[in-house]
Amino acid sequence: MSAVDVQETARRIQIDFIEFPMLRVTLRQACRLWSAPHDVCEAALLSLVRTEFLFDRDGQFHRPVHSELVA
């Protein structure tokens, strides 16, 4: 596993989560969706959790949901 592989996979994951903000995936689903080896995908997802781009809830990775009140 190289740092470049992890960064590239994280970038692809970010793009898809921005395109599909309600997306929720498990690690296994993420590996299949982004065609990444388990260790690379796990490292990419965890790096996105550390930066708070994603959250991990009950084994599912997802974007934070922000409720905005319209006055």
Side-chain angles (χ1 to χ4, degrees):
M1 167 177 64
S2 76
V4 173
D5 292 338
V6 173
Q7 289 173 346
E8 176 60 26
T9 300
R11 186 188 64 76
R12 291 187 353 237
I13 292 170
Q14 280 182 311
I15 289 168
D16 285 346
F17 270 100
I18 289 168
E19 288 255 342
F20 305 101
M22 299 306 292
L23 182 64
R24 289 179 176 267
V25 294
T26 64
L27 175 57
R28 185 175 179 196
Q29 291 169 330
C31 292
R32 286 196 321 260
L33 182 61
W34 289 291
S35 300
H38 183 273
D39 59 339
V40 171
C41 195
E42 182 176 37
L45 287 168
L46 293 178
S47 74
L48 294 171
V49 168
R50 278 193 302 276
T51 63
E52 296 184 355
F53 179 82
L54 291 179
F55 287 107
D56 177 7
R57 182 172 181 172
D58 299 326
Q60 287 195 334
F61 295 89
H62 62 92
R63 289 292 313 254
V65 178
H66 298 288
S67 300
E68 294 185 12
L69 297 176
V70 178

